[in-house]
Coordinates of all heavy atoms in Angstrom, one line a residue:
H74 N 12.3 5.8 34.8 CA 11.5 6.7 35.8 C 11.5 8.2 35.4 O 10.4 8.8 35.6 CB 12.2 6.5 37.1 CG 12.0 5.1 37.7 ND1 12.8 4.1 37.6 CD2 10.8 4.5 38.2 CE1 12.2 3.0 38.0 NE2 11.0 3.2 38.4
Q75 N 12.4 8.7 34.7 CA 12.4 10.0 34.3 C 11.2 10.3 33.4 O 10.4 11.3 33.5 CB 13.6 10.4 33.6 CG 14.7 11.0 34.5 CD 16.0 11.1 33.7 OE1 16.2 10.9 32.4 NE2 17.0 11.4 34.4
I76 N 11.0 9.4 32.3 CA 10.0 9.5 31.4 C 8.5 9.4 32.1 O 7.6 10.1 31.8 CB 10.0 8.5 30.3 CG1 11.5 8.8 29.6 CG2 8.9 8.6 29.3 CD1 11.6 10.2 29.0
A77 N 8.5 8.3 32.9 CA 7.2 8.0 33.6 C 6.8 9.2 34.4 O 5.6 9.7 34.5 CB 7.3 6.8 34.4
S78 N 7.7 9.8 35.1 CA 7.2 10.9 35.9 C 7.1 12.2 35.2 O 6.1 13.0 35.5 CB 8.3 11.3 37.0 OG 9.5 11.7 36.6
L79 N 7.7 12.4 34.0 CA 7.4 13.6 33.1 C 5.9 13.5 32.6 O 5.2 14.4 32.7 CB 8.4 13.6 31.9 CG 8.4 14.8 31.2 CD1 9.9 15.1 30.7 CD2 7.5 14.7 29.9
F80 N 5.7 12.3 32.2 CA 4.2 12.2 31.7 C 3.2 12.3 32.9 O 2.1 12.7 32.6 CB 4.1 10.9 30.8 CG 4.4 11.2 29.4 CD1 5.8 11.2 29.1 CD2 3.5 11.5 28.5 CE1 6.2 11.4 27.8 CE2 3.9 11.7 27.2 CZ 5.2 11.8 26.8
K81 N 3.6 11.7 33.9 CA 2.5 11.8 35.1 C 2.3 13.2 35.4 O 1.1 13.6 35.7 CB 3.2 11.1 36.4 CG 2.3 10.8 37.4 CD 2.9 9.9 38.4 CE 1.8 9.8 39.6 NZ 2.4 9.6 40.9
N82 N 3.3 14.1 35.3 CA 3.0 15.6 35.6 C 2.2 16.1 34.5 O 1.6 17.2 34.7 CB 4.3 16.3 35.5 CG 5.2 15.9 36.7 OD1 4.7 15.5 37.7 ND2 6.5 16.1 36.7
M83 N 2.1 15.5 33.3 CA 1.2 16.0 32.3 C -0.2 15.3 32.3 O -1.0 15.3 31.4 CB 1.8 15.8 30.9 CG 2.9 16.7 30.7 SD 3.7 16.7 29.0 CE 4.1 15.0 28.9
G84 N -0.5 14.5 33.4 CA -1.7 13.9 33.6 C -1.9 12.6 32.8 O -3.0 12.0 32.8
V85 N -0.7 12.0 32.4 CA -0.9 10.7 31.7 C -0.2 9.6 32.6 O 1.1 9.8 33.0 CB -0.2 10.7 30.4 CG1 -0.2 9.3 29.7 CG2 -0.8 11.7 29.5
S86 N -1.0 8.6 33.1 CA -0.2 7.6 33.9 C 0.4 6.6 33.1 O -0.2 6.1 32.1 CB -1.3 7.1 34.9 OG -1.9 6.0 34.3
V87 N 1.6 6.2 33.4 CA 2.4 5.3 32.7 C 2.9 4.2 33.6 O 3.3 4.4 34.7 CB 3.7 6.0 32.2 CG1 4.5 5.0 31.4 CG2 3.3 7.2 31.3
E88 N 2.7 3.0 33.2 CA 3.1 1.8 34.1 C 4.4 1.3 33.5 O 4.5 1.0 32.3 CB 1.9 0.8 34.0 CG 2.1 -0.3 35.1 CD 1.0 -1.4 35.0 OE1 -0.1 -1.1 34.6 OE2 1.3 -2.6 35.4
I89 N 5.3 1.1 34.4 CA 6.6 0.5 34.0 C 6.6 -1.0 34.1 O 6.2 -1.5 35.2 CB 7.8 1.1 34.8 CG1 7.8 2.6 34.6 CG2 9.1 0.4 34.5 CD1 8.9 3.3 35.5
I90 N 6.9 -1.7 33.0 CA 6.8 -3.1 33.0 C 8.3 -3.7 32.9 O 9.1 -3.4 32.0 CB 6.0 -3.6 31.8 CG1 4.7 -3.1 31.7 CG2 6.1 -5.2 31.7 CD1 3.7 -3.6 32.7
D91 N 8.7 -4.3 34.0 CA 10.1 -4.9 34.0 C 10.2 -6.1 33.3 O 9.7 -7.2 33.6 CB 10.4 -5.1 35.5 CG 11.9 -5.6 35.6 OD1 12.6 -5.8 34.6 OD2 12.4 -5.8 36.7
A92 N 10.8 -6.0 32.0 CA 10.9 -7.2 31.1 C 12.4 -7.4 30.8 O 12.8 -8.1 29.8 CB 10.1 -6.9 29.8
K93 N 13.3 -6.9 31.7 CA 14.8 -7.0 31.4 C 15.2 -8.4 31.1 O 15.9 -8.8 30.1 CB 15.5 -6.5 32.6 CG 15.5 -5.1 32.9 CD 16.6 -4.6 33.8 CE 16.2 -4.8 35.3 NZ 15.2 -4.0 35.9
N94 N 14.8 -9.3 32.0 CA 15.3 -10.8 31.8 C 14.8 -11.3 30.5 O 15.7 -12.1 29.9 CB 14.8 -11.6 33.0 CG 15.5 -11.1 34.3 OD1 16.4 -10.5 34.2 ND2 14.9 -11.5 35.4
K95 N 13.6 -11.1 30.2 CA 13.1 -11.7 28.9 C 13.9 -11.2 27.7 O 14.2 -11.9 26.8 CB 11.7 -11.2 28.7 CG 10.7 -11.9 29.5 CD 9.3 -11.6 29.2 CE 8.3 -12.4 30.0 NZ 7.1 -11.8 30.4
F96 N 14.3 -9.9 27.7 CA 15.0 -9.4 26.5 C 16.5 -10.0 26.5 O 17.0 -10.4 25.4 CB 15.1 -7.8 26.5 CG 13.8 -7.2 26.1 CD1 12.7 -7.0 26.8 CD2 13.7 -7.0 24.6 CE1 11.5 -6.5 26.3 CE2 12.5 -6.5 24.1 CZ 11.4 -6.2 25.0
F97 N 17.1 -10.0 27.6 CA 18.5 -10.5 27.7 C 18.5 -12.0 27.3 O 19.4 -12.5 26.6 CB 19.2 -10.2 28.9 CG 19.7 -8.7 29.1 CD1 19.3 -8.0 30.1 CD2 20.5 -8.3 28.1 CE1 19.7 -6.6 30.1 CE2 20.9 -7.0 28.2 CZ 20.5 -6.1 29.2
E98 N 17.5 -12.6 27.8 CA 17.4 -14.1 27.4 C 17.3 -14.3 25.9 O 17.9 -15.1 25.3 CB 16.1 -14.7 28.2 CG 16.1 -16.1 28.3 CD 17.3 -16.8 28.9 OE1 17.8 -16.3 30.0 OE2 17.7 -17.8 28.3
A99 N 16.4 -13.5 25.3 CA 16.3 -13.5 23.8 C 17.5 -13.2 23.0 O 17.7 -13.6 21.9 CB 15.1 -12.7 23.4
L100 N 18.3 -12.3 23.6 CA 19.5 -11.7 22.9 C 20.8 -12.6 23.1 O 21.8 -12.4 22.5 CB 19.8 -10.3 23.5 CG 19.0 -9.2 22.9 CD1 19.1 -8.0 23.7 CD2 19.2 -8.9 21.5
K101 N 20.6 -13.6 24.1 CA 21.8 -14.4 24.5 C 22.3 -15.1 23.2 O 21.7 -15.8 22.5 CB 21.3 -15.5 25.4 CG 22.3 -15.9 26.4 CD 21.7 -16.8 27.4 CE 22.5 -16.7 28.7 NZ 21.8 -17.2 29.8
G102 N 23.7 -15.0 23.1 CA 24.4 -15.7 22.0 C 24.2 -15.0 20.6 O 24.9 -15.6 19.7
L103 N 23.4 -14.1 20.5 CA 23.2 -13.5 19.1 C 24.2 -12.4 18.7 O 24.5 -11.5 19.6 CB 21.8 -12.9 19.0 CG 20.6 -13.8 19.2 CD1 19.3 -13.1 18.9 CD2 20.8 -15.1 18.3
T104 N 24.8 -12.5 17.6 CA 25.8 -11.3 17.2 C 25.3 -10.8 15.8 O 25.7 -9.6 15.6 CB 27.2 -12.0 17.0 OG1 27.0 -13.2 16.1 CG2 27.8 -12.5 18.3
D105 N 24.5 -11.3 15.1 CA 24.1 -10.9 13.7 C 23.1 -9.8 14.0 O 22.1 -9.9 14.7 CB 23.4 -12.0 13.0 CG 23.0 -11.5 11.6 OD1 23.8 -11.2 10.7 OD2 21.8 -11.2 11.4
P106 N 23.3 -8.6 13.3 CA 22.4 -7.4 13.6 C 20.9 -7.7 13.3 O 20.1 -7.4 14.2 CB 22.9 -6.3 12.6 CG 24.3 -6.8 12.3 CD 24.4 -8.2 12.5
E107 N 20.7 -8.4 12.3 CA 19.2 -8.6 12.0 C 18.6 -9.6 12.9 O 17.4 -9.5 13.3 CB 19.1 -9.0 10.5 CG 19.3 -7.9 9.5 CD 18.5 -6.6 9.7 OE1 17.3 -6.6 9.5 OE2 19.0 -5.5 9.9
E108 N 19.4 -10.6 13.3 CA 18.9 -11.6 14.4 C 18.7 -10.9 15.7 O 17.6 -11.2 16.3 CB 20.0 -12.7 14.5 CG 19.9 -13.7 13.4 CD 20.9 -14.9 13.5 OE1 21.4 -15.1 14.7 OE2 21.2 -15.6 12.5
K109 N 19.4 -10.0 16.0 CA 19.2 -9.2 17.2 C 18.0 -8.4 17.2 O 17.2 -8.4 18.1 CB 20.4 -8.3 17.6 CG 21.7 -9.0 18.1 CD 23.0 -8.1 17.9 CE 23.1 -7.0 18.7 NZ 24.4 -6.4 18.6
R110 N 17.8 -7.8 16.1 CA 16.5 -6.9 15.8 C 15.4 -7.8 15.9 O 14.4 -7.5 16.5 CB 16.6 -6.3 14.4 CG 17.3 -5.1 14.4 CD 17.7 -4.7 13.0 NE 18.7 -3.8 13.0 CZ 18.6 -2.4 13.3 NH1 17.4 -1.9 13.5 NH2 19.6 -1.7 13.4
E111 N 15.4 -9.0 15.3 CA 14.3 -9.9 15.3 C 14.0 -10.4 16.6 O 12.9 -10.6 17.0 CB 14.6 -11.1 14.3 CG 13.4 -12.0 14.1 CD 12.3 -11.4 13.5 OE1 12.2 -10.2 12.9 OE2 11.1 -12.1 13.6
A112 N 15.0 -10.7 17.4 CA 14.7 -11.2 18.8 C 14.0 -10.1 19.6 O 13.1 -10.4 20.3 CB 16.1 -11.6 19.4
I113 N 14.5 -8.9 19.5 CA 13.9 -7.8 20.2 C 12.4 -7.6 19.7 O 11.5 -7.4 20.5 CB 14.7 -6.5 20.0 CG1 16.0 -6.7 20.8 CG2 13.9 -5.2 20.6 CD1 17.0 -5.6 20.4
T114 N 12.2 -7.7 18.4 CA 10.8 -7.5 17.9 C 9.9 -8.6 18.5 O 8.9 -8.2 18.9 CB 10.9 -7.6 16.4 OG1 11.7 -6.5 15.8 CG2 9.5 -7.5 15.8
Q115 N 10.4 -9.8 18.3 CA 9.5 -10.9 18.8 C 9.3 -10.8 20.3 O 8.2 -11.0 20.8 CB 10.2 -12.3 18.5 CG 10.3 -12.6 17.1 CD 8.8 -12.7 16.5 OE1 7.8 -13.1 17.1 NE2 8.7 -12.3 15.2
T116 N 10.3 -10.4 21.2 CA 10.1 -10.3 22.6 C 9.0 -9.2 22.9 O 8.1 -9.3 23.7 CB 11.5 -10.1 23.3 OG1 12.4 -11.0 22.9 CG2 11.3 -10.0 24.8
F117 N 9.2 -8.1 22.2 CA 8.4 -6.9 22.4 C 7.0 -7.2 22.1 O 6.1 -7.0 22.9 CB 9.0 -5.8 21.7 CG 8.4 -4.5 22.0 CD1 8.9 -3.6 22.9 CD2 7.3 -4.0 21.1 CE1 8.4 -2.4 23.2 CE2 6.8 -2.7 21.4 CZ 7.3 -1.9 22.4
Y118 N 6.8 -7.6 20.9 CA 5.5 -7.6 20.3 C 4.7 -9.0 20.8 O 3.5 -8.9 20.9 CB 5.4 -7.6 18.8 CG 5.8 -6.1 18.3 CD1 7.0 -5.7 18.0 CD2 4.7 -5.2 18.3 CE1 7.3 -4.5 17.7 CE2 5.0 -3.8 18.0 CZ 6.3 -3.5 17.7 OH 6.7 -2.2 17.3
K119 N 5.4 -10.0 20.8 CA 4.7 -11.3 21.0 C 4.6 -11.6 22.6 O 3.5 -11.7 23.1 CB 5.4 -12.4 20.3 CG 4.6 -13.5 19.9 CD 5.3 -14.4 18.9 CE 4.3 -15.4 18.3 NZ 4.9 -16.0 17.0
D120 N 5.8 -11.6 23.1 CA 5.9 -12.0 24.5 C 5.3 -10.9 25.4 O 4.2 -11.1 26.1 CB 7.4 -12.3 24.8 CG 7.6 -13.0 26.2 OD1 6.6 -13.1 26.8 OD2 8.7 -13.5 26.4
V121 N 6.0 -9.7 25.5 CA 5.6 -8.7 26.4 C 4.2 -8.1 26.1 O 3.2 -8.2 26.9 CB 6.7 -7.6 26.5 CG1 6.2 -6.5 27.4 CG2 8.0 -8.2 27.0
F122 N 4.0 -7.6 24.9 CA 2.8 -7.0 24.4 C 1.6 -8.0 24.3 O 0.5 -7.7 24.7 CB 3.0 -6.2 23.2 CG 3.0 -4.8 23.5 CD1 4.2 -4.1 23.4 CD2 2.0 -4.2 24.0 CE1 4.4 -2.8 23.8 CE2 2.0 -2.8 24.4 CZ 3.2 -2.2 24.2
G123 N 1.9 -9.3 23.8 CA 0.9 -10.3 23.7 C 0.3 -10.5 25.1 O -1.0 -10.4 25.3
R124 N 1.1 -10.5 26.2 CA 0.5 -10.6 27.6 C -0.3 -9.6 28.0 O -1.3 -9.6 28.6 CB 1.7 -10.9 28.5 CG 1.2 -11.4 29.8 CD 2.3 -12.3 30.6 NE 2.9 -13.2 29.6 CZ 4.0 -13.9 30.0 NH1 4.5 -13.7 31.0 NH2 4.5 -14.7 29.2
L125 N 0.3 -8.3 27.8 CA -0.3 -7.0 28.2 C -1.7 -6.9 27.4 O -2.7 -6.5 28.1 CB 0.5 -5.8 27.9 CG 1.7 -5.6 28.7 CD1 2.6 -4.4 28.3 CD2 1.3 -5.4 30.2
V126 N -1.8 -7.2 26.2 CA -3.1 -7.2 25.4 C -4.0 -8.1 26.1 O -5.2 -7.7 26.4 CB -2.8 -7.5 24.0 CG1 -4.1 -7.9 23.2 CG2 -2.1 -6.4 23.3
Q127 N -3.6 -9.3 26.4 CA -4.6 -10.3 27.0 C -5.2 -9.8 28.3 O -6.3 -9.7 28.6 CB -3.8 -11.6 27.2 CG -3.9 -12.5 26.1 CD -3.1 -13.9 26.4 OE1 -2.6 -14.1 27.6 NE2 -3.2 -14.7 25.4
D128 N -4.1 -9.3 29.2 CA -4.5 -8.8 30.5 C -5.5 -7.6 30.5 O -6.3 -7.4 31.2 CB -3.2 -8.5 31.3 CG -2.5 -9.8 31.6 OD1 -3.0 -10.9 31.3 OD2 -1.4 -9.7 32.1
S129 N -5.2 -6.7 29.5 CA -6.0 -5.5 29.5 C -7.2 -5.6 28.7 O -8.1 -4.7 28.7 CB -5.1 -4.3 28.9 OG -4.8 -4.6 27.5
G130 N -7.4 -6.6 27.8 CA -8.6 -6.7 27.0 C -8.5 -5.8 25.7 O -9.5 -5.6 25.0
A131 N -7.3 -5.2 25.4 CA -7.1 -4.3 24.3 C -7.1 -5.1 23.0 O -6.7 -6.2 23.0 CB -5.8 -3.6 24.4
K132 N -7.6 -4.4 21.9 CA -7.6 -5.0 20.7 C -6.7 -4.2 19.7 O -6.4 -4.6 18.5 CB -9.0 -4.9 20.1 CG -10.2 -5.7 20.8 CD -10.6 -7.0 20.1 CE -11.5 -7.7 20.8 NZ -11.5 -7.8 22.2
F133 N -6.2 -3.0 20.2 CA -5.4 -2.2 19.3 C -4.1 -1.8 20.1 O -4.1 -1.5 21.2 CB -6.1 -0.9 18.9 CG -7.4 -1.2 18.2 CD1 -8.6 -1.4 18.9 CD2 -7.4 -1.3 16.8 CE1 -9.8 -1.7 18.2 CE2 -8.5 -1.6 16.2 CZ -9.7 -1.8 16.8
L134 N -3.1 -1.8 19.2 CA -1.8 -1.1 19.7 C -1.5 0.0 18.9 O -1.5 0.1 17.7 CB -0.7 -2.3 19.5 CG 0.7 -1.7 19.7 CD1 1.0 -1.3 21.2 CD2 1.8 -2.7 19.3
L135 N -1.3 1.1 19.6 CA -1.0 2.4 18.9 C 0.6 2.5 18.9 O 1.2 2.4 19.9 CB -1.5 3.6 19.7 CG -2.6 4.5 19.2 CD1 -3.9 3.5 19.1 CD2 -2.8 5.6 20.2
Q136 N 1.2 2.8 17.6 CA 2.6 3.0 17.7 C 3.1 4.0 16.8 O 2.4 4.5 15.8 CB 3.4 1.7 17.5 CG 3.3 1.1 16.1 CD 4.2 -0.1 16.1 OE1 4.7 -0.6 16.9 NE2 4.4 -0.5 14.8
G137 N 4.3 4.5 17.0 CA 4.8 5.8 16.4 C 5.7 5.5 15.2 O 6.7 6.2 15.0
T138 N 5.4 4.5 14.3 CA 6.1 4.3 13.1 C 6.0 5.6 12.3 O 5.0 6.1 12.0 CB 5.4 3.2 12.2 OG1 5.0 2.2 13.2 CG2 6.4 2.5 11.3
I139 N 7.2 6.0 11.8 CA 7.2 7.1 10.8 C 7.7 6.6 9.4 O 8.1 5.6 9.3 CB 8.2 8.4 11.4 CG1 9.6 7.9 11.5 CG2 7.5 8.8 12.7 CD1 10.5 9.0 11.8

Side-chain angles (χ1 to χ4, degrees):
H74 288 98
Q75 270 168 7
I76 299 299
S78 68
L79 192 147
F80 275 80
K81 198 170 172 210
N82 291 340
M83 291 189 296
V85 177
S86 83
V87 180
E88 193 178 331
I89 299 177
I90 305 289
D91 183 356
K93 289 196 278 292
N94 293 342
K95 285 188 175 145
F96 281 89
F97 283 121
E98 197 52 45
L100 286 165
K101 213 177 210 159
L103 301 184
T104 53
D105 176 79
E107 294 298 304
E108 283 180 16
K109 283 159 69 178
R110 280 164 197 280
E111 185 59 18
I113 290 170
T114 301
Q115 290 297 329
T116 307
F117 189 88
Y118 288 95
K119 213 169 189 160
D120 193 346
V121 178
F122 260 108
R124 192 156 313 168
L125 288 174
V126 165
Q127 268 179 6
D128 293 352
S129 66
K132 300 248 177 324
F133 299 91
L134 169 68
L135 247 64
Q136 75 172 9
T138 322
I139 62 169

